Amino acid sequence: LETFIIEKGNGKINPLRFFDRCFQYIYSIKEIIIADDCVLYALGTSCFEGCEKLTTLTFPSSVQTLGTQCFYNTPNLKTITFADTDEHPAQLASIGENCFWECGIESFTVPSSVKSISRQAFHSCEVLETVSIPAGTTSVDKEAFYLCNKLKAIDVDKANETYSSSD
């Protein structure tokens, strides 16, 4: 299994939840795409843990929950997209503890709906260089980016009343 796709209009499996460890250690998987009109509510604990070849994830705006260590040890994961448009606004409320631990992302745009980023959410993301924080994010744990040694910039939306970017 290299690619897992749930295409547009597949109402037979909606609503959907990826349970704890459902893709854990599927070494061959490289890409997961869930069409935005599919209803995917939750990604369980360690859902993608150890998917070492995984490079791309595309999720619909309906995702509300990311389990602890959801993307742990995914060193080749470069692209994670959460749909977030006027027509389908993101519903993800928080990024949980150790969610992206040892993930290979270089840049990450926090969905506009996220209010909080938990402790060590991006722990040991060794190639993470930039993060964009939206206006509505009001809580970022002081250890959210623990051991992200290449982090160069955290760009905060100018409308954010809690945080700001400094040049």
Side-chain angles (χ1 to χ4, degrees), residues 82-141:
F82 291 91
D84 191 6
T85 64
D86 290 339
E87 186 178 336
H88 298 284
Q91 296 178 32
L92 183 64
S94 65
I95 296 176
E97 203 167 301
N98 299 320
C99 187
F100 294 99
W101 187 353
E102 295 182 355
C103 185
I105 53 175
E106 296 172 2
S107 150
F108 187 76
T109 299
V110 176
S112 64
S113 57
V114 170
K115 303 292 181 221
S116 66
I117 301 174
S118 298
R119 181 177 177 267
Q120 299 182 1
F122 294 87
H123 185 292
S124 298
C125 290
E126 295 178 359
V127 295
L128 181 63
E129 293 185 0
T130 61
V131 176
S132 296
I133 306 284
T137 300
T138 56
S139 175
V140 178
D141 188 272

Side-chain angles (χ1 to χ4, degrees), residues 17-21 41-48 63-72 92 94-101 121:
R17 178 179 193 269
F18 288 169
F19 289 97
D20 295 353
R21 297 177 251 309
Y41 290 116
L43 306 176
T45 297
S46 300
C47 189
F48 300 98
V63 173
Q64 298 170 3
T65 305
L66 300 177
T68 302
Q69 296 183 340
C70 190
F71 304 99
Y72 172 59
L92 183 64
S94 65
I95 296 176
E97 203 167 301
N98 299 320
C99 187
F100 294 99
W101 187 353

